[in-house]
Amino acid sequence: MNALLEIFSWVGVGLGLSVLLVALIARLADGTWLPARAVVEDGPNGRFVRWFDADGAIGQAPLTAEQDGKLAGKDMADIYYRHGWTDRMRLDPRSPAVRPLTLLGTGLVAFGLACAIASWVLLALSR
């Protein structure tokens, strides 16, 4: 039993730290997203939003079906735009991929540490 817990502890911590490293790389690759207040408008190809960025440029991006559903009936919306781009925006400040990776990595590290502690307790009790 102790050997199995030892294996789980090494695999859990090692794999968890690897997943957390991937989450960090994904977060850094995601770039900087800044908040803005946008106007929601109807266009010939569907609804879109327009906003002023921090440099004073006008940004414009079409709404996806999911975003359109969330902004149904609204004339204004709080958005996050990609710094340096005038056509990229989203409704959430963080990437949807980073959070699950962070949770998975944290869970694996916690599992590995719990197995290590259980292994130490069994070792102490067996003496």
Side-chain angles (χ1 to χ4, degrees):
M1 180 69 167
N2 202 10
L4 189 61
L5 286 173
E6 188 73 22
I7 291 169
F8 281 158
S9 66
W10 282 104
V11 170
V13 170
L15 189 60
L17 290 176
S18 298
V19 171
L20 286 174
L21 179 63
V22 170
L24 176 64
I25 292 169
R27 170 70 179 104
L28 293 174
D30 189 36
T32 303
W33 293 78
L34 301 173
R37 187 81 173 147
V39 176
V40 181
E41 297 183 19
D42 291 319
N45 297 328
R47 291 172 36 118
F48 62 94
V49 293
R50 285 188 181 156
W51 68 93
F52 289 106
D53 68 9
D55 300 327
I58 298 174
Q60 177 177 321
L63 293 175
T64 64
E66 180 185 358
Q67 291 169 339
D68 194 20
K70 287 182 180 179
L71 298 178
K74 294 185 178 180
D75 294 335
M76 300 285 287
D78 292 321
I79 64 159
Y80 296 88
Y81 67 92
R82 178 77 187 257
H83 183 67
W85 297 68
T86 58
D87 62 345
R88 295 191 62 191
M89 75 90 192
R90 60 185 178 204
L91 300 177
D92 298 314
R94 301 280 181 233
S95 170
V98 174
R99 183 174 170 85
L101 284 173
T102 304
L103 290 175
L104 177 63
T106 305
L108 285 170
V109 169
F111 175 72
L113 291 176
C115 288
I117 292 170
S119 174
W120 296 333
V121 168
L122 285 178
L123 182 65
L125 292 177
S126 67
R127 289 185 175 209

